[in-house]
Amino acid sequence: MKAIIIAILLLASSIVSFAQTQSGMERKQLFDYNWKFRLGDDTLARLKNFSDTGWRSLDLPHDWSIEGKISPKNPTGGAGGYFPVGIAWYRKTFKAPRDWKGKSVAVYFEGVYMNSEVFINGKSLGVRPYGYSSFSYDLSPYLDFNKENVIAVRVDNSRQINSRWYSGSGIYRHVWMKVFNPVHVADWGVAVSTPEVSSKQASVQVNTTIKNETALSQKVVINTRILTGSAKDAGSNAITIELPAHQAKEIIQTIKVSKPLLWALESPHLYQAQIQVSKGNDIMDQTEITFGIRSLKFTAEDGFQLNGKTVKLSGGCVHHDNGCLGAAAFDRAEERKVELLKAAGFNAVRTSHNPPSEAFLDACDRLGLLVIDEAFDGWRGGKNKYDYSVYFDHWWKRDLETMVLRDRNHPSIFMWSIGNEVSERKTPEAVITAKMLAGAVKNIDTTRPVTSAIVTWGNEWESFDPLMAVHDVCGYNYQLQSAPADHKRIPSRIIVQTESYPRDAFANWKLVQNNNYIIGDFVWSAIDYLGESGIGRSYYSGDVPGENWENDFFPWHAAYCGDLDLTGWRKPISHYRDLLYNDKEKLYMAVREPNPEPLEIKETRWSVWPTWESWTWPGFEGRNIDVEVYSKYPKVRLYLNDKLLGEKSTTEEQEFKATFSVPYASGNLKAVAVENNKETESAILQTSGHAAKIKLIADRKEILANGQDLSYVRIEVTDKGGVIQPNVANRLYFKIEGPGIIAGVDNADIKDFDAYTGNSRKAWHGQAMIVIRSTHSAGNIKLTVSSADLSEATLAIKTLGN
């Protein structure tokens, strides 16, 4: 008995010491730096004493596929963009600080593609097949506090084909070390919701799960404070609870916030919930959750309402890759993607067909972009031999719950999606599975509706009624024209078009505008992406016909159906869609690429006619070229070298578009908006002279020296007057001096199979891009870009210490 009492006293004493050190320690610590990497398999690499001398040193996030050679011999095929895959190992050596003793220590991976197995000091902690799920493992029982520890990760992306698009390979998202006291807030154990919202007052409900991993019952206080974005107190609540030994308890606190600043698309205000667990004067644990105060409502009568205001969704689907960076989810790359989507006029995004990175969702929260968070591309029915169908029965519950638990506090997420065009959608079993998945979501979160994307290419659309009835919102892929008839049959159905062809922008916009039960349209796709090679292509007569799965289109290794290309340049279709849904852009002009006679340009289902911001067409003098003008004004006029060529209406009846057939002559092409018979806004295209110089435009000239921050530098080849010369394909050479490295290079030409990592790239349509990554040193980076017969250009970027 005496021994038991002493043990209890020692345990109680240790709890106090843990609490005293917790407040001075980071609960979550970035674990991205100083990893070792080797491509290839070696089962001995799991062992602690294995020698990784000679392995490559790198920082995460990392995607080894993007570094490899694009080749038709690679097993990923057109689906994966012909990139290499395989098996690889990562290892990291670290010392466990003494103040970790007696605490819960876990390693947290935001995403590893795919089939990862994690080891600590030679001990296997587990496997996770799904490459998009976040997961963690408890390290506490295996840590050595006297010697170095080794985490080893085996990544197996060798079984192909396992994805219908480029997946990347490796530890492509952040890794963290999480350290908890024995009494702490459970991981993903906080759910913040706002059940009552008005301009005068909001109710913030905070559900917190507290864990007691000690052998004693613990009496603790949970104090929750709500802070505004400027760290002002907005409300608080404290509650005392008794936690039995080795148990967890959920508590619910409701806090009233007066005159709340609402999270909205135009003003995405954020709050923070600070949850503190204390015993006496000691802080046992503290965590912060960012959230937004906003209300969601979905009805067939009023559509989707955010904070009581009906919002028509101008949405886009995106895959997870970052172009020339591959799948590597750098925070800045994810933030820039959201910035590009917002600048292009989108107000919503669908994360097709998997959960995105946390950094992407954080950026959507900060910048005001609505999100459909999607779990899977398929269920039990396979689309490829080694896709998620292989793992579905064993893993669906863990993977789905992971998505909802991890992401539920993001105000940007307004719907959950449980699948996309599942292969078994025509069977009764699909209804059972959908009920099962939707039920699992609702067990965790009842504040958002559940949807999935359904498609058919036949006449059996009505047969999907039982499956659609399982969903709160029905996702239509490419079938919005069926919505009016479906509404007559089932008036209560709420519809969103989860995928659409780019060319159908106006028809879909009109259906969305004229029918409240249709809440929006998500185009496939918002941004070009690697893999699914050839979708969205146009080609010349005589080339291999078709797109995507129909043929092997190498060297096409990406999709060209995006409103934005791989460098972030907005194609004309982007400006047209933006003009339809928004009023910030009211006039735009571009030129349809003329047929290179005797050849003709051929389109495919996801393509639009290749159209460019160019009036430089040598060899076409005197031949008619079509000029497209998009306008929210009633009329437009077109001038060539100050000569009026004509005037046309551009009202809704004309789909806000006018096409002029113009005999080509070099010079100045100008479109002018006409309102009340007065000329107002204008758009100009100028013929370019010979290529003479290089222009460099950085999106950011100051970045952090944290080894992960990025600067995107746009490269333009121009004539001596600064007009882009679109017909040159000069090879550009890049040189970096100072504390920076080249993270990626691109030109948006998805038939150019030059490496995305390197120090050179050809220009395409007079443009290219280089992405510069910081190192861990502050200082000045100097970028020099040169090319034969062109004046070289330099650019300075400053890296700032943390």
Side-chain angles (χ1 to χ4, degrees), residues 24-140:
M25 180 201 69
E26 287 188 56
R27 194 174 192 263
K28 183 178 174 184
Q29 305 165 37
L30 193 62
F31 207 59
D32 282 350
Y33 302 119
N34 302 315
W35 286 75
K36 294 282 192 174
F37 169 78
R38 180 178 176 271
L39 186 58
D41 198 10
D42 188 338
T43 57
L44 296 180
R46 73 187 189 280
L47 300 177
K48 181 178 181 180
N49 295 325
F50 176 85
S51 175
D52 52 25
T53 303
W55 283 28
R56 176 182 168 191
S57 296
L58 54 76
D59 294 341
L60 305 176
H62 175 243
D63 172 10
W64 82 71
S65 289
I66 198 67
E67 300 171 344
K69 184 178 180 180
I70 301 169
S71 169
K73 296 179 181 179
N74 286 325
T76 52
Y82 306 99
F83 284 85
V85 282
I87 299 172
W89 283 83
Y90 296 83
R91 286 169 54 90
K92 181 173 170 66
T93 301
F94 68 100
K95 289 185 177 180
R98 291 287 175 182
D99 62 6
W100 286 7
K101 273 195 172 184
K103 299 183 180 181
S104 297
V105 180
V107 61
Y108 172 55
F109 294 85
E110 288 192 15
V112 183
Y113 202 92
M114 63 176 291
N115 285 309
S116 65
E117 184 171 9
V118 180
F119 302 83
I120 177 69
N121 297 331
K123 168 70 177 178
S124 177
L125 297 173
V127 298
R128 192 72 176 227
Y130 196 34
Y132 302 108
S133 275
S134 300
F135 57 92
S136 63
Y137 295 115
D138 183 15
L139 304 181
S140 308

Side-chain angles (χ1 to χ4, degrees), residues 384-640:
N384 284 303
K385 186 175 181 180
Y386 295 108
D387 65 14
Y388 192 72
S389 62
V390 176
Y391 311 104
F392 181 84
D393 280 326
H394 185 67
W395 286 96
W396 73 265
K397 193 170 191 295
R398 266 176 287 185
D399 288 326
L400 186 60
E401 288 178 346
T402 291
M403 179 185 80
V404 180
L405 285 169
R406 190 197 73 168
D407 296 346
R408 58 184 170 178
N409 293 317
H410 289 280
S412 56
I413 296 174
F414 75 116
M415 276 199 281
W416 303 110
S417 173
I418 55 176
N420 171 69
E421 298 181 358
V422 296
S423 300
E424 61 268 42
R425 60 187 177 273
K426 297 180 182 179
T427 68
E429 289 74 23
V431 179
I432 297 171
T433 303
K435 286 181 180 178
M436 178 179 73
L437 297 174
V441 172
K442 298 289 188 178
N443 281 340
I444 300 171
D445 178 41
T446 59
T447 69
R448 301 172 176 91
V450 171
T451 188
S452 74
I454 300 172
V455 72
T456 183
W457 307 113
N459 297 316
E460 68 277 15
W461 190 247
E462 190 172 334
S463 67
F464 291 117
D465 285 352
L467 179 57
M468 289 186 174
V470 179
H471 300 81
D472 302 303
V473 176
C474 298
Y476 286 36
N477 277 8
Y478 309 103
Q479 300 292 329
L480 199 60
Q481 70 276 4
S482 301
D486 289 354
H487 177 65
K488 290 180 180 178
R489 189 174 72 255
I490 307 172
S492 61
R493 179 177 293 174
I494 304 165
I495 295 168
V496 62
Q497 185 158 232
T498 31
E499 291 181 26
S500 67
Y501 296 116
R503 69 179 66 217
D504 293 338
F506 178 81
N508 291 325
W509 170 83
K510 196 165 184 178
L511 282 166
V512 171
Q513 297 305 309
N514 293 342
N515 301 283
N516 282 346
Y517 57 88
I518 303 175
I519 65 174
D521 174 40
F522 286 74
V523 67
W524 191 273
S525 60
I527 305 174
D528 287 349
Y529 54 93
L530 300 174
E532 207 162 4
S533 305
I535 184 174
R537 73 192 284 260
S538 58
Y539 61 95
Y540 298 135
S541 49
D543 289 348
V544 178
E547 64 188 327
N548 194 19
W549 57 85
E550 296 164 350
N551 283 295
D552 185 347
F553 297 112
F554 188 86
W556 293 83
H557 59 274
Y560 198 66
C561 50
D563 276 19
L564 287 75
D565 71 19
L566 283 173
T567 68
W569 179 75
R570 292 178 63 189
K571 302 174 190 176
I573 184 63
S574 168
H575 295 272
Y576 182 56
R577 189 183 318 281
D578 185 17
L579 181 142
L580 289 174
Y581 282 91
N582 306 292
D583 289 324
K584 65 180 181 181
E585 185 173 24
K586 300 181 69 175
L587 184 72
Y588 176 83
M589 175 173 58
V591 177
R592 288 166 62 91
E593 184 175 322
N595 284 309
E597 296 177 358
L599 301 179
E600 293 181 346
I601 294 172
K602 302 289 185 178
E603 289 193 74
T604 53
R605 278 178 293 180
W606 279 270
S607 75
V608 294
W609 192 277
T611 308
W612 308 96
E613 293 176 3
S614 170
W615 192 239
T616 305
W617 301 96
F620 286 88
E621 286 77 8
R623 289 171 53 183
N624 282 351
I625 296 180
D626 287 340
V627 177
E628 290 188 345
V629 182
Y630 314 144
S631 167
K632 274 287 185 74
Y633 297 95
K635 294 180 180 179
V636 294
R637 294 170 184 164
L638 190 67
Y639 293 86
L640 178 58

Side-chain angles (χ1 to χ4, degrees), residues 314-330:
S314 173
C317 301
V318 296
H319 278 312
H320 70 294
D321 74 85
N322 283 307
C324 65
L325 303 178
F330 294 97

Side-chain angles (χ1 to χ4, degrees), residues 225-271:
R225 298 170 60 212
I226 304 298
L227 302 176
T228 67
S230 57
K232 293 181 179 179
D233 276 304
S236 64
N237 179 270
I239 186 171
T240 301
I241 64 168
E242 190 80 25
L243 270 176
H246 299 297
Q247 290 192 29
K249 181 180 287 187
E250 183 186 55
I251 64 158
I252 301 174
Q253 295 168 287
T254 300
I255 301 170
K256 302 291 186 181
V257 176
S258 298
K259 297 182 179 178
L261 300 171
L262 302 186
W263 189 93
L265 294 170
E266 62 280 359
S267 54
H269 294 291
L270 294 173
Y271 285 79

